[in-house]
Amino acid sequence: MAPLIPTTTAPADGGAEAPAAKKSKKKLIIIVLVLALIGGGAYETVLKPAPKAKLGKDGKPIKVAAPKAVAGSTITLDPVTTSIADGHVIQIALGLELIAGADSKVITTLAPQADDAANGVLAHYTYKQLLSPAGRTKAHKEITKAVSKAIVDAKGKTEIYDVYLPTYVLQ
């Protein structure tokens, strides 16, 4: 009857055990690297202390203001004529001052969205409201907000620094 467990005889120089030792060292190194990566990720996401806020002379945290946008080039859109709330019409042209770095060619392709935003605001005003300086100022502010929301980049940030009304004719 043959033995159930095969027996091997190792050479006297230990040549058969050398590859097994190399494989176990490689496995050990891989395991250590994986654990180090996991530990580093855990530290970054969970254990890393929050950055300390800069304190003023009074000991209170100083608010860091976001960098302000810088004005860039200005483009003027073609005049459009639209009806206002009481049946009169208004003709306006929008002057769009872009944020520095904004692509004016891309913004020009978005002219219909800018005009539509302005028309949506003007549709709620009457001739009398738009004729007064206070009404015109109020409408201008609302148009600026609406156009700024309509013209955004891929990240959702506005590309508009300011909006001007170089053409403003009421009939």
Side-chain angles (χ1 to χ4, degrees):
M1 207 184 224
L4 295 174
I5 301 174
T7 58
T8 58
T9 56
D13 64 352
E17 292 182 18
K22 286 183 183 177
K23 285 184 182 178
S24 67
K25 283 185 181 180
K26 285 183 183 178
K27 285 183 182 178
L28 180 63
I29 291 172
I30 290 172
I31 290 171
V32 168
L33 287 174
V34 169
L35 289 175
L37 288 173
I38 291 171
Y43 175 78
E44 285 293 322
T45 57
V46 178
L47 302 173
K48 186 176 181 179
K52 294 183 179 179
K54 293 184 180 182
L55 302 177
K57 291 181 181 179
D58 58 356
K60 294 182 180 178
I62 299 172
K63 291 184 180 179
V64 179
K68 291 189 176 186
V70 178
S73 61
T74 302
I75 58 174
T76 302
L77 305 182
D78 293 332
V80 293
T81 304
T82 187
S83 297
I84 54 178
D86 59 0
H88 286 84
V89 293
I90 185 169
Q91 181 182 38
I92 62 165
L94 298 177
L96 306 177
E97 186 171 17
L98 309 178
I99 290 176
D103 187 359
S104 60
K105 290 180 183 177
V106 172
I107 304 300
T108 303
T109 63
L110 298 174
Q113 287 89 327
D115 288 335
D116 186 56
N119 290 341
V121 170
L122 291 170
H124 299 287
Y125 284 90
T126 63
Y127 178 83
K128 191 173 182 180
Q129 289 172 323
L130 292 173
L131 197 57
S132 73
R136 181 178 174 167
T137 301
K138 183 179 176 188
H140 180 249
K141 287 180 182 179
E142 289 182 27
I143 289 170
T144 301
K145 282 183 185 179
V147 170
S148 294
K149 286 181 182 178
I151 309 295
V152 294
D153 64 8
K155 295 178 184 176
K157 293 184 179 182
T158 187
E159 297 275 47
I160 305 299
Y161 184 79
D162 202 359
V163 176
Y164 303 104
L165 300 172
T167 302
Y168 186 89
V169 180
L170 282 167
Q171 286 185 330

